[in-house]
Structures are given as C-alpha cells and as structure tokens.
Amino acid sequence: MFAAVLITLAILYAAGILVNALVALLARQRTVTATRPFVSVIVAARNEEHNIRRCLESMARLTWPRDLLEVIIVNDRSDDATPAIVRDYAARFPFISLLSAAPGTGHLAGKTNAVTQGIDASQGEIIMMTDADCAVPPSWIEETVKYYTSENIGLVPGFTAIRYKNLFEAIQTIDWFALFTVASATNSMGFPVTAVGTNFSVRRAAYEAVGGYRRIPFSVTEDYALFHAVTSHPSYRAVFPMDPKALVSSEPCPTWKDLYRQRKRWFTGGKGMDLQSIGIFAIIWLMHAGIIGGLILNAPGALVALGIKTAADLALVLPGIIRFHKPSLLAAFPLYEVYFFLYVMLFPPIVLVHRNIVWKDRDFKANG
C-alpha cells in the first residue's frame, strides 16, 4: 500500500513537472518592435560597493535611445561607498541619477520603501527593475518592451542566471532555472505564480491601478507582492518569456548562511499563496518525506519513486540549460537534488517557528 501511494505521488509530481517544462520550452509569445515608450529603470542599492560598478557598467551599455531612458539608483541608506560610486557614473552618463531614500512611512520599509520612492521620482511608461548585484544585457530594454503588445499586458518578468564558478554556485543557478521555468510555464497556462525582482518590468498604468506599494500590504518579497497584485487585477495580465536576449545575470550567495537567509525570505514571502498552491506544495512535501522515510526503512517503492522524481527534476531544469546554453550545470545536478530535498523538507517547519527575516543587515517581521 505504501509503495503504491508513494509511486503514485511521484508519477503525479513528474507529470506536473513535465507539463511545466514543455510549456516553458515551447511557449511563444507575440511581440511588437515598433513601440518606443519612455522607460525608467529602478535599482535599489544598500551597501553594494562591491557589486554596483558591474551593474552601472551594464546600464551604461544599454542600447535603448537615451532620450527615452532614465536609470534611477536609489541609495537605501548605505554606509559604504555606494553613493559615491553612483555619483561618479551619474556625472559621466546623464541618464543615470542617484536618489537617496527618505525613511519610510506607514508599512513602507527596506527595499520596498526605496523602490517606491524611485518609482515616484520616475516618469517612464514602462518601469523596469533589477538588483544592484545584477548586470543586464545591452538590449535588455528592447527585448523586454517588445512583449508589451497590448494595453492589458501589465507585467513582463524575465529569467535570471546566477554567475557560477563552482558547484555551490552552480546549484544556485539550477535552483533559479527551476523556479523561473515553473513561473514562466504556470503564467503561460493562466495560473500566474511568482516573479523575481532581478528581472522585472511593470506598466506604470498597472502599477497605479493597484495603488502601488502604498496600497499593497508589506511583504519581504515585494516583487512577489506586486506581481500578484497586478495579475489579480481584472484589466491586466503578465507575459513571462524564456528569452535569452533578455537574460539578466546575478551574483551568487557567497555562503550557505547567505543562501539560507535568501531562501527563507523567499519562502516566507510566499506564505500568502492561495489554497490550491498550498495543497500542491503539501503533496510535494509528503512525497519527499515518503521517499526519505522509505529509503531509511528500505521500504519497497522508495527507489522507484526517487528515480521518477529525479528524472522529473532533471526535465524541469533542462529547458533553462538548453535555452541559455549552460550544459556545464549538469555536473552539479546530483548535488542539487540533495539540496532540493533539504530545502523542501526543512523550510516549512523553519518558517513556521522562526518568522523574522534578516536582510541587508536589517530585521523584518515576516508578513502573514
């Protein structure tokens, strides 16, 4: 009985994963290249002196018309050389400017407060966002804007790849590809799940229609909160393309501690998911728990279920590896599977017990 239930769960899991992988890989979205809106790029930066130059260099190489572009770097109360570095670039590139964030009011805090003030100071019809430890490709704007084919397209998120030099960093890249593939596929199927602020854009009219961050309840994952606010609005939907020309690169978490804090923030920020999503995740948790328990007890069916699950996980990351030409990531996949077991099993109880989040040396109380 146990073996039959476990293998059934693994088959259902694999079926769902395969559907997501195929949809993400095969989906094609309509594009239009004639439109040329004014674009505002917002980057919140707190103590990023070691990363901000790479970000700014990528902004300086953007090929979007300079008269239709502004890049606003919002200094989120840094106490290092971040503001001075931005001022140097602003002096050389007039479309880049520095804005110092004032203390937040109401529920606005941390990065949400900085991004809100950046948007308030901007004038673009399309607002694009990335992080200070990211670099964007020169054609990032045109390769994103082309998906705003109609007024009801409110959001266009994109994929991000982690720069990797070792197995630890490669694991993070695989994890991001898996996350983005599911997010892209579910969005294409009409069930928008999430997006990440490293490669994110929103139509200003859609942002204002939901009241902006001042009307959206505080979340430690402000990008997730804005994505759900806009995709829940009856007038707007999102397009989430797997487009290599719009791929953003991000720095990896340098240590396991940093990775733990990042994933805990992500997991905690997603606690507001709907009941259907919670139910799906509960089934996934039970399957992983069953496999671990079955392997420990040498129960029949455990190895079969593990094989089905592993094959499905590989299928999920292959679209990103193929589309973005990252075959070297395959060497890290076995370790990724171990990491993924730990992630799925441990984070739900951790988040239930430890609700506070540490982010950029500041403590935040988890939402929900």
Side-chain angles (χ1 to χ4, degrees):
M1 180 66 178
F2 174 80
V5 171
L6 186 57
I7 292 173
T8 299
L9 287 176
I11 291 173
L12 291 173
Y13 172 84
I17 291 297
L18 289 174
V19 168
N20 278 272
L22 288 173
V23 169
L25 187 60
L26 300 178
R28 295 292 183 270
Q29 287 85 16
R30 193 167 66 91
T31 62
V32 57
T33 57
T35 180
R36 283 290 186 270
F38 193 97
V39 175
S40 299
V41 178
I42 311 296
V43 181
R46 175 174 169 81
N47 294 335
E48 294 284 359
E49 62 181 4
H50 298 298
N51 297 314
I52 194 70
R53 284 187 178 86
R54 178 170 170 262
C55 179
L56 291 166
E57 285 292 338
S58 73
M59 296 297 167
R61 292 192 293 267
L62 288 170
T63 54
W64 193 251
R66 295 292 188 260
D67 60 334
L68 297 174
L69 172 65
E70 63 178 354
V71 176
I72 301 175
I73 311 297
V74 187
N75 173 35
D76 186 12
R77 305 174 71 182
S78 300
D79 53 20
D80 66 358
T82 297
I85 295 170
V86 178
R87 289 191 194 97
D88 175 63
Y89 277 82
R92 291 185 283 140
F93 302 97
F95 62 93
I96 297 177
S97 64
L98 174 68
L99 173 68
S100 294
T105 59
H107 66 271
L108 295 177
K111 183 182 176 182
T112 304
N113 175 57
V115 171
T116 300
Q117 294 186 34
I119 294 175
D120 288 347
S122 70
Q123 56 181 317
E125 176 187 344
I126 303 297
I127 301 163
M128 299 188 65
M129 304 178 210
T130 189
D131 286 347
D133 63 349
C134 293
V136 303
S139 59
W140 180 50
I141 295 178
E142 45 263 63
E143 298 300 337
T144 300
V145 167
K146 69 183 183 183
Y147 292 101
Y148 283 94
T149 57
S150 63
E151 292 298 320
N152 73 325
I153 305 297
L155 288 162
V156 179
F159 277 63
T160 300
I162 298 294
R163 298 209 301 173
Y164 61 95
K165 298 177 182 177
N166 54 51
L167 289 177
F168 173 60
E169 295 168 354
I171 288 171
Q172 296 178 53
T173 307
I174 294 173
D175 198 24
W176 280 54
F177 278 174
L179 168 67
F180 282 111
T181 299
V182 170
S184 176
T186 53
N187 188 79
S188 294
M189 292 185 286
F191 303 100
V193 174
T194 192
V196 179
T198 52
N199 191 352
F200 193 97
S201 71
V202 60
R203 188 184 296 276
R204 180 178 295 276
Y207 178 81
E208 293 176 348
V210 299
Y213 281 118
R214 288 185 172 83
R215 293 285 300 275
I216 299 172
F218 175 77
S219 172
V220 291
T221 49
E222 83 296 329
D223 38 16
Y224 172 89
L226 178 57
F227 179 81
H228 271 273
V230 173
T231 55
S232 297
H233 194 283
S235 299
Y236 296 102
R237 64 183 182 90
V239 173
F240 202 142
M242 182 182 279
D243 191 336
K245 295 180 181 179
L247 182 68
V248 169
S249 68
S250 179
E251 294 297 322
C253 292
T255 67
W256 282 105
K257 181 179 181 180
D258 293 310
L259 182 61
Y260 165 79
R261 286 180 169 178
Q262 182 191 69
R263 296 309 195 262
K264 183 184 177 186
R265 179 172 66 86
W266 286 6
F267 201 97
T268 303
K271 287 176 65 179
M273 66 178 67
D274 56 42
L275 290 177
Q276 181 181 354
S277 299
I278 292 173
I280 292 172
F281 195 88
I283 293 173
I284 294 173
W285 189 92
L286 288 172
M287 183 197 70
H288 282 78
I291 291 174
I292 292 175
L295 292 174
I296 292 173
L297 299 174
N298 197 27
L303 281 175
V304 175
L306 176 62
I308 294 171
K309 172 224 158 6
T310 301
D313 290 343
L314 178 59
L316 182 63
V317 301
L318 279 177
I321 290 174
I322 293 170
R323 186 66 61 83
F324 302 118
H325 308 291
K326 304 286 186 182
S328 58
L329 287 173
L330 291 172
F333 180 75
L335 288 178
Y336 165 76
E337 279 294 277
V338 176
Y339 155 83
F340 189 61
F341 262 102
L342 294 173
Y343 179 80
V344 171
M345 294 303 303
L346 296 180
F347 270 92
I350 287 174
V351 169
L352 287 174
V353 175
H354 301 285
R355 298 175 58 82
N356 286 359
I357 302 297
V358 178
W359 190 25
K360 296 290 183 180
D361 301 318
R362 293 185 290 201
D363 292 321
F364 295 92
K365 185 175 181 180
N367 57 327

